[in-house]
Amino acid sequence: MNRALFPSTCSHVLLWVRDLHQAVANFRAAGFEVTYATAEARAQHAHIWFSQGPIIELLTTPRHAWLFKWPIDCLAGRGAGRRMLRWAAQGEGFCDLALRCDDPLLAPRVKSLAACGVSMGRAVNWRRTCADGSHTRFRFVYPRHDRLPFLVTPYEPAQHPARMTHPNGATGLAAIHLGVHPADQTALNLLTGDDPLLQIRPAEHTGVQAVQITGLTHPLTLHGARLLGCPTAQGDTHA
C-alpha cells in the first residue's frame, strides 16, 4: 500500500458552525476552554487547545461566501473555493481535517504528491493577528479534490499552551474517526501516512465522522459534531 513520502500528523480538526459566538458559548458551557483566534468581535475562528497533539478549530464563513469562490480559487488554486462552500453547505459539524507538514516550504511535499497523482493547489502564506495582539504565521495548501485533508505548516511562533485544563476533564484527542470513499483511499494514504490517531473506515463521502477525547467521560453532540468519551487511564498525565 502506498504511504506518505513525508510523514504527516494531524494538526487540527475543523468544525463548521453557523454562529461562532453561540458555538463558543455552548462549548464553554460543556466544560471546554475555548479561545478566539482573533479579536472576538469579528472573529471567524476559535480554538479548543490541548497541551499537545491536534486541536479542534471552530470556524464559520460569511453569509455571502459564494462571492469569494473565485477569488479563493485564484489565491489557493482550483477547488479551494468549492471546499469553502462545502463547509457551509453540509451544515454544522466536522467539515475538514488539517495535516501538519513540518517542511516550512511545503514544495517538496507538494511535488511528491503531484508525482503520485494527487493534484494540489498553491501554497498560501498566512499571517494572523491573535486576540492578544500578537502575530502567528503559517502556510497551507489544499488538494484540488475538496474532500481530501489539506496540509498546513506549524504555527510560528508555536501556539500550544504549556498547560491546558478543561473543566470537563478533556486532555486531548485520542482518535479521529475518518470516513473514506474507496476512490479516495490511495490519495488519503499518500497524504496521511500512518498517523495512529486516524481511525479510517469506508464511507459514502470522505470526511471526519467523530473525534474521541481523552478524559471526556460522557459523549456529546455539539453543533453537529460527535465527541466521544475516552476516560483517562490511571497514570495518564497527557495534560
Side-chain angles (χ1 to χ4, degrees):
M1 180 181 292
N2 291 326
R3 288 294 181 184
L5 302 183
F6 295 84
S8 292
T9 56
C10 180
S11 170
H12 53 281
V13 181
L14 285 75
L15 197 177
W16 190 86
V17 297
R18 197 169 308 280
D19 182 325
L20 182 65
H21 299 297
Q22 184 62 58
V24 168
N26 290 343
F27 272 85
R28 286 174 174 170
F32 291 98
E33 289 289 341
V34 189
T35 58
Y36 284 99
T38 59
E40 179 177 343
R42 301 185 65 181
Q44 293 189 320
H45 302 259
H47 295 134
I48 298 175
W49 291 98
F50 302 103
S51 297
Q52 57 182 303
I55 66 171
I56 298 173
E57 178 172 313
L58 311 179
L59 75 155
T60 191
T61 45
R63 291 183 181 180
H64 302 297
W66 61 272
L67 293 173
F68 299 94
K69 180 180 184 298
W70 296 116
I72 289 175
D73 276 348
C74 291
L75 174 70
R78 190 171 70 249
R82 184 172 63 248
R83 180 182 294 262
M84 181 193 67
L85 294 181
R86 175 181 59 76
W87 292 343
Q90 70 184 37
E92 292 196 310
F94 292 121
C95 65
D96 221 327
L97 178 66
L99 302 171
R100 171 173 164 156
C101 178
D102 287 328
D103 186 332
L105 298 178
L106 284 176
R109 184 68 189 281
V110 169
K111 184 177 180 180
S112 72
L113 287 166
C116 293
V118 183
S119 297
M120 303 294 291
R122 287 183 286 275
V124 177
N125 298 311
W126 202 258
R127 175 174 169 151
R128 176 180 290 160
T129 301
C130 304
D132 63 1
S134 63
H135 295 92
T136 188
R137 302 176 304 278
F138 56 95
R139 306 184 83 209
F140 64 88
V141 60
Y142 293 137
R144 289 187 174 173
H145 179 352
D146 67 282
R147 286 191 174 272
L148 289 174
F150 64 95
L151 302 179
V152 63
T153 62
Y155 294 129
E156 296 181 3
Q159 300 291 292
H160 271 81
R163 184 173 181 82
M164 172 58 70
T165 302
H166 294 279
N168 61 13
T171 60
L173 299 191
I176 299 165
H177 298 274
L178 184 66
V180 181
H181 188 279
D184 298 334
Q185 186 69 63
T186 297
L188 186 86
N189 290 342
L190 290 165
L191 283 161
T192 63
D194 294 306
D195 188 338
L197 285 185
L198 294 178
Q199 303 294 314
I200 296 173
R201 62 193 66 184
E204 184 177 354
H205 300 291
T206 297
V208 175
Q209 298 175 335
V211 299
Q212 192 167 10
I213 302 178
T214 301
L216 189 68
T217 57
H218 302 288
L220 298 169
T221 298
L222 288 172
H223 292 270
R226 293 174 58 219
L227 311 175
L228 307 178
C230 181
T232 303
Q234 187 174 3
D236 184 354
T237 57
H238 192 70

